């Protein structure tokens, strides 16, 4: 097996400068055809492979994008990653995925590690703990280092960067409208605490839809779930909170859940209490994932188009990375792209 050869060794063997070898391997027209062919043939003979890390340190470009997501099991995030990879690979970029696990510390550590020379920019959805603490210094520092960020789904207005979101308010209104058109009179919402931006916006959409239909918004019909109840260890607690909602409000005939897990759990609890779906209770959820399709009955959902979000986020980031340096003004104009949601009707509504 031939030992690994370096640019320096090729230059020495052919009695040319390292710069000439580097340019010849990149097919630069500054180098004569004869020298280019000689260098390339020699490199091929000795299986020369460029050291991408060395190259990127020299050019400050790694052609790699860092993705930071809050959780890996969520179907929505996996479809966003699919979209990012599709566009990134098409445009010659690699992708590294980091997981914050909804933790502020993990988010900061992930970003510090990746920003330390291994990536060109970030696509991320903010951890719930970061939103709760409202500490965004790590985003600001990253941007100040000249590393662009694109936020998706969970975003904060304070950070100047490109963003891709879905129309959460409009999507929530579509969900409630579906329940009203199915004859529901007492519609409850199962949502997150308000510091989670998407939950807050979906709750706002729910309240606006009730107002549009001249229906009273009752505090007793709004269940805000503590974040820890989303983990598998706390599903029993989630069930008991939802059961309490039903028992305190015997007249509930519609449920709007801000994610699939809440919706599927609500269906499970309702059936345990003897409620027939969709005859005596109708359910609509945000996020059209695996749970929605395979629950019994299957769930009517608001689809967020995760893949489209990922594709758009990757295009925004790569476009920004490839902006000509002299075009400084373009760097200051940030875009927020809103992806339309649509309702997918299944068996949990009439």
């Amino acid at each position: 097996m031939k030992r690994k050869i370096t640019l320096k060794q090729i230059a020495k063997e052919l009695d040319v400068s390292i710069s000439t070898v580097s340019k010849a391997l990149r097919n630069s027209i500054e180098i004569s055809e004869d020298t280019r062919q000689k260098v390339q043939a020699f490199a091929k003979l000795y299986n020369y492979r460029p050291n991408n890390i060395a190259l990127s340190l020299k050019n400050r470009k790694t052609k790699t994008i860092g993705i930071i997501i809050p959780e890996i099991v969520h179907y929505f995030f996996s479809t966003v990653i699919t979209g990012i990879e599709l566009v990134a690979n098409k445009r010659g970029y690699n992708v590294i995925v980091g997981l914050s696990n909804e933790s502020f510390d993990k988010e900061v550590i992930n970003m510090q590690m990746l920003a330390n020379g291994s990536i060109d920019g970030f696509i991320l959805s903010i951890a719930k703990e970061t939103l709760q603490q409202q500490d965004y210094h790590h985003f600001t520092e990253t941007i100040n280092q000249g590393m662009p960020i694109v936020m998706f789904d969970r975003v904060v207005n304070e950070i100047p960067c490109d963003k891709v979101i879905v129309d959460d308010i409009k999507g929530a209104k579509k969900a409630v409208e579906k329940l009203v058109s199915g004859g529901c009179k007492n519609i409850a919402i199962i949502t997150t605490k308000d510091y989670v931006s998407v939950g807050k916006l979906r709750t706002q959409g729910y309240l606006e839809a009730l107002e549009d239909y001249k229906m009273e918004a009752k505090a007793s019909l709004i269940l805000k779930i503590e974040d820890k109840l989303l983990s598998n260890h706390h599903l029993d607690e989630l069930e008991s909170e939802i059961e309490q909602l039903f028992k305190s409000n015997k007249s509930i005939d519609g449920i709007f859940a801000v994610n699939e897990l809440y919706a599927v759990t609500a269906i499970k609890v309702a059936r345990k209490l003897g409620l027939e779906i969709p005859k005596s209770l109708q359910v609509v959820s945000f996020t059209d994932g695996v749970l929605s399709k395979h629950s019994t009955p299957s769930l009517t959902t608001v689809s967020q188009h995760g893949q489209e979000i990922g594709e758009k986020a990757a295009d925004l980031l790569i476009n920004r990375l490839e902006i000509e340096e002299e075009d400084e003004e373009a760097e200051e104009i940030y875009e927020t792209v809103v992806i339309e949601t649509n309702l997918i009707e299944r068996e949990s509504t009439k």
Side-chain angles (χ1 to χ4, degrees):
M1 187 178 158
K2 293 170 183 151
R3 66 190 174 84
K4 208 170 174 188
I5 195 163
T6 64
L7 277 181
K8 197 174 178 180
Q9 287 166 318
I10 297 173
K12 195 177 174 188
E13 288 290 334
L14 298 177
D15 198 24
V16 293
S17 71
I18 293 171
S19 168
T20 299
V21 174
S22 178
K23 286 176 181 173
L25 290 172
R26 292 204 309 271
N27 261 328
S28 169
I29 52 168
E30 291 174 48
I31 309 300
S32 72
E33 181 66 27
D34 183 46
T35 306
R36 266 187 283 166
Q37 284 182 358
K38 202 191 300 177
V39 170
Q40 287 173 11
F42 192 88
K44 195 175 177 186
L45 179 68
Y46 285 92
N47 268 339
Y48 171 73
R49 290 274 179 280
N51 179 342
N52 282 331
I53 292 172
L55 278 177
S56 69
L57 288 173
K58 192 166 173 248
N59 304 327
R60 293 303 302 147
K61 285 279 177 275
T62 63
K63 286 284 204 177
T64 303
I65 290 168
I67 305 174
I68 311 281
I69 56 165
E71 50 177 315
I72 205 76
V73 292
H74 201 305
Y75 175 81
F76 169 67
F77 290 120
S78 64
T79 57
V80 174
I81 292 170
T82 302
I84 295 169
E85 285 210 293
L86 204 73
V87 167
N89 294 340
K90 209 182 284 178
R91 296 185 66 175
Y93 284 74
N94 298 311
V95 160
I96 294 178
V97 181
L99 194 60
S100 70
N101 263 334
E102 303 290 13
S103 151
F104 169 77
D105 289 343
K106 278 193 177 161
E107 188 173 79
V108 172
I109 290 162
N110 263 308
M111 287 188 78
Q112 283 172 346
M113 276 169 56
L114 292 174
N116 213 357
S118 51
I119 61 141
D120 296 336
F122 284 102
I123 296 172
L124 59 90
S125 189
I126 306 172
K128 284 180 182 168
E129 201 176 45
T130 306
L131 291 167
Q132 202 171 5
Q133 293 179 15
Q134 296 183 10
D135 182 347
Y136 310 128
H137 77 276
H138 49 309
F139 303 141
T140 309
E141 281 172 19
T142 303
I143 292 164
N144 290 345
Q145 278 176 38
M147 205 169 277
I149 288 177
V150 175
M151 292 179 176
F152 72 91
D153 192 44
R154 299 184 201 157
V155 305
V156 286
N157 297 330
E158 296 94 303
I159 303 298
C161 66
D162 295 313
K163 301 172 178 89
V164 186
I165 54 173
V166 296
D167 195 335
D168 288 293
I169 294 177
K170 218 170 175 180
K173 282 179 141 182
K174 285 176 191 168
V176 176
E177 280 162 13
K178 175 64 192 163
L179 293 168
V180 172
S181 69
C184 295
K185 298 277 187 282
N186 288 287
I187 300 165
I189 181 171
I190 305 173
T191 185
T192 57
K193 296 286 184 187
D194 279 347
Y195 62 79
V196 183
S197 51
V198 291
K200 190 178 181 179
L201 291 168
R202 289 168 197 175
T203 305
Q204 190 183 327
Y206 159 84
L207 293 169
E208 284 181 21
L210 292 184
E211 199 178 315
D212 290 347
Y213 285 98
K214 308 281 186 285
M215 294 166 81
E216 191 191 343
K218 297 175 191 157
S220 62
L221 291 177
I222 300 172
L223 175 60
K224 292 183 181 178
I225 300 289
E226 247 323 320
D227 190 50
K228 67 184 177 78
L229 298 191
L230 263 174
S231 74
N232 288 336
H233 310 299
H234 297 280
L235 286 180
D236 290 347
E237 282 179 62
L238 177 63
E239 281 183 34
S240 69
E241 284 215 27
I242 293 172
E243 189 167 333
Q244 198 47 52
L245 173 74
F246 282 122
K247 285 179 174 172
S248 310
N249 299 274
K250 295 278 198 309
S251 58
I252 290 177
D253 53 8
I255 293 273
F256 167 46
V258 301
N259 60 47
E260 285 186 307
L261 181 63
Y262 293 173
V264 170
T265 309
I267 287 175
K268 182 183 174 187
V269 171
R271 293 173 76 175
K272 192 172 89 177
L273 296 172
L275 293 167
E276 274 186 75
I277 294 156
K279 193 179 170 187
S280 49
L281 178 77
Q282 296 180 60
V283 183
V284 181
S285 150
F286 238 91
T287 311
D288 184 46
V290 178
L291 289 177
S292 302
K293 295 178 187 77
H294 299 293
S295 72
T296 308
S298 58
L299 258 175
T300 294
T301 58
V302 177
S303 174
Q304 289 168 275
H305 304 291
Q307 186 171 323
E308 195 184 332
I309 290 173
E311 288 174 15
K312 189 66 205 171
D315 270 327
L316 282 171
L317 185 68
I318 294 167
N319 291 348
R320 191 160 291 281
L321 289 170
E322 293 179 355
I323 283 174
E324 293 302 323
E325 278 174 22
E326 62 267 20
D327 192 4
E328 280 180 25
E329 274 182 43
E331 291 183 27
E332 297 307 315
I333 302 162
Y334 295 105
E335 211 179 323
T336 295
V337 177
V338 182
I339 306 288
E340 277 284 323
T341 57
N342 69 297
L343 199 70
I344 296 171
E345 297 187 27
R346 296 200 185 89
E347 298 161 352
S348 66
T349 51
K350 289 176 186 170

